[in-house]
Amino acid sequence: MENKSSLLVGPDDKVGFGEAGFLGLQHVLAMDIYVPPIILAGMMAMGVGDQMSLLQSTFLAAGIGTILQTYVFMKMPVSQGPSFVPLGAAAGVVLASGGLKGNGMGTLIGSLLIGAIILIILGLTGVFQKIISKLVPALVGGTIITCVGLSLIPSALNDNIFKATGNINNNIILASITALTLLIAVGISNRFPQVRRFFRTGSIILALGVGTVVSTMMGLFDWQTVYDAAWFSVPNGTVLHYGINFSPSAIITFIIIYAVITTETTGTWFAMGAVTNHEISKKQWNMGIIGEGFSCLFAALLGTTPVTGYSTNAGVISITGVASKRVFLFAGIWFSVLGFFSKLSAFLAAIPAPVIGGVFAIICVTIMLNGLNVIRSLHTTDRDIYIIGLPIILTLALVLLPANVIKQAPQIIQYLLGSPIAVAAVAAILLNLLMPKIKEVSATKAV
């Protein structure tokens, strides 16, 4: 009941188009979906033109996927974005197959298409829901949600603040100001009921706005890249440009990666269900994986990596209290617009990482706490302590594991080690299956 009352706007509640557009933009701003394509472009030594095209393709794929999941397939407030998991493998496939000027991108597109089709088949046959029902009870689901939030916190702090470009002291100051603005907005919404809706629903965009202004005053916002960007352009690095090639080794590699990504997405859906106080139905599980498959299919055709359920949005909903599907529809529209509006894409990419990090860290904590709330509502036994605890330890271990250790592992193991969420999910599932259940003594018998 608490979760219900904590939402200002439920999934099916109507929101005015103007407000929905504003709040949809807030979701877009809170999601750092421009980071994976920029990282991938660097791995493949792309020029500025190819990098911008990859960024636009990613935005467009995220927009199409978000609209499909929210209104056609899963019919929950779900936003799609690029996963970090496939980046190393994607660059490896491209470079090993002749690079950008050879068959590299065509081979990558071919392997991504096969993986996406397999996801669609899993949903159409109903196999996916049966797997979830058998392997992921509430205890495991709550543990996975907790690990989703926990695994993202170090990234929010390290990648976006401590290790981000620029002076670390300036980064900390900028992130702190942004985070403090968010907390003040939420505090005002709690203290003054008459302005609660404005300050709570707009808290994230207010924080990002203040962070952008302060970063400009500190000389940390690169406005030149925004000025230099064209106003409009069409992504040119699509399947029409690169074609399609099929390589057995690349296909096997990405089938494994899709399995890892799907495990992550399952955790994201559990998190979204927890914050909206909604139990995902059998039909929704199957339709969700079909939607995931089509999202990845469009991403492949557009020449970018898979776009999957983005866990950030569960945290955004927790903070703003807005879970309207109409808001997510507009988020999808904004993403699609960014696929063609080059200057706006350049603006988002120019927002300093510490500004994103200041908000992102708080979002991650809310996701983690929602997972703990799911667990708290359950009657747990001694065995459950290990089912909950060991995945948390593994999550932290993989986040802290030195990169040189990961690189020494076999390639397939590297994909798993690069996804703490997937490892934690697998561990929680196996522990729940293998740990002996404790037989409880009834109260009457004990007396």
Side-chain angles (χ1 to χ4, degrees):
M1 296 297 291
E2 280 184 35
N3 283 347
K4 282 185 179 178
S5 62
S6 70
L7 288 179
L8 292 177
V9 183
D12 296 311
D13 292 348
K14 297 300 181 185
V15 178
F17 287 106
E19 186 179 8
F22 174 81
L23 296 176
L25 178 61
Q26 180 170 247
H27 276 278
V28 171
L29 292 173
M31 294 170 63
D32 56 347
I33 78 163
Y34 52 84
V35 175
I38 289 175
I39 293 174
L40 181 59
M43 288 178 172
M44 297 191 296
M46 281 184 167
V48 175
D50 287 335
Q51 177 177 309
M52 185 56 69
S53 177
L54 181 63
L55 188 64
Q56 290 177 260
S57 292
T58 303
F59 278 129
L60 187 55
I64 293 171
T66 298
I67 294 169
L68 287 176
Q69 280 289 54
T70 302
Y71 272 86
V72 180
F73 292 106
M74 200 170 197
K75 296 185 178 179
M76 281 182 64
V78 175
S79 184
Q80 303 294 102
S83 171
F84 285 86
V85 173
L87 298 184
V93 166
V94 171
L95 297 176
S97 305
L100 294 173
K101 295 182 179 179
N103 294 324
M105 281 300 294
T107 302
L108 175 62
I109 291 171
S111 58
L112 290 173
L113 287 174
I114 297 297
I117 291 169
I118 290 174
L119 292 186
I120 294 171
I121 292 171
L122 280 175
L124 289 173
T125 57
V127 171
F128 186 69
Q129 179 275 320
K130 292 177 182 177
I131 294 173
I132 296 299
S133 298
K134 177 72 175 176
L135 300 181
V136 191
L139 177 69
V140 174
T143 301
I144 294 173
I145 298 169
T146 302
C147 292
V148 168
L150 183 62
S151 69
L152 295 173
I153 293 173
S155 173
L157 297 176
N158 270 333
D159 298 343
N160 288 286
I161 303 172
F162 302 142
K163 295 181 180 179
T165 304
N167 181 276
I168 186 172
N169 294 321
N170 287 338
N171 290 349
I172 292 173
I173 291 170
L174 187 54
S176 299
I177 291 172
T178 306
L180 184 61
T181 303
L182 174 59
L183 294 175
I184 290 173
V186 173
I188 292 174
S189 73
N190 291 335
R191 181 68 180 83
F192 303 101
Q194 60 270 31
V195 293
R196 183 186 184 206
R197 186 181 179 97
F198 172 79
F199 277 97
R200 186 178 176 190
T201 59
S203 56
I204 291 175
I205 206 166
L206 286 171
L208 293 172
V210 170
T212 299
V213 171
V214 173
S215 66
T216 300
M217 295 170 61
M218 295 173 68
L220 301 176
F221 195 104
D222 185 10
W223 284 101
Q224 191 61 47
T225 58
V226 182
Y227 294 140
D228 293 342
W231 281 100
F232 297 97
S233 62
V234 177
N236 54 31
T238 67
V239 67
L240 298 177
H241 178 75
Y242 291 115
I244 302 175
N245 293 297
F246 296 104
S247 163
S249 60
I251 290 171
I252 292 170
T253 296
F254 270 92
I255 287 175
I256 295 169
I257 287 175
Y258 269 110
V260 175
I261 293 174
T262 302
T263 308
E264 282 194 337
T265 301
T266 300
T268 298
W269 291 344
F270 271 115
M272 194 63 76
V275 299
T276 58
N277 200 34
H278 171 77
E279 184 176 347
I280 302 173
S281 67
K282 293 179 180 180
K283 182 179 179 181
Q284 281 181 311
W285 280 116
N286 288 326
M287 294 300 288
I289 202 65
I290 294 172
E292 189 88 347
F294 275 107
S295 296
C296 295
L297 187 70
F298 280 110
L301 294 174
L302 288 167
T304 189
T305 53
V307 290
T308 62
Y310 224 64
S311 55
T312 303
N313 287 278
V316 174
I317 289 175
S318 289
I319 293 170
T320 64
V322 178
S324 169
K325 288 188 286 187
R326 181 175 286 181
V327 169
F328 279 75
L329 171 65
F330 272 90
I333 293 172
W334 276 112
F335 278 133
S336 301
V337 168
L338 288 170
F340 302 101
F341 194 175
S342 310
K343 196 170 284 291
L344 189 53
S345 297
F347 171 78
L348 292 181
I351 295 175
V355 174
I356 301 295
V359 170
F360 193 31
I362 297 175
I363 288 173
C364 297
V365 169
T366 62
I367 296 171
M368 183 183 71
L369 293 178
N370 274 295
L372 293 176
N373 277 337
V374 172
I375 296 170
R376 187 180 64 175
S377 66
L378 304 172
H379 173 66
T380 57
T381 63
D382 289 344
R383 78 184 278 274
D384 298 335
I385 292 174
Y386 300 97
I387 296 171
I388 299 165
L390 289 179
I392 290 175
I393 293 173
L394 285 171
T395 300
L396 286 173
L398 292 182
V399 166
L400 299 173
L401 188 66
N404 62 321
V405 176
I406 296 176
K407 290 178 181 178
Q408 292 172 12
Q411 192 66 56
I412 292 176
I413 302 298
Q414 286 187 36
Y415 301 143
L416 280 172
L417 295 180
S419 176
I421 299 170
V423 172
V426 171
I429 290 169
L430 290 177
L431 285 167
N432 185 59
L433 292 173
L434 299 175
M435 288 286 287
K437 293 187 177 181
I438 300 171
K439 292 182 180 180
E440 295 187 23
V441 180
S442 65
T444 56
K445 197 171 182 180
V447 173

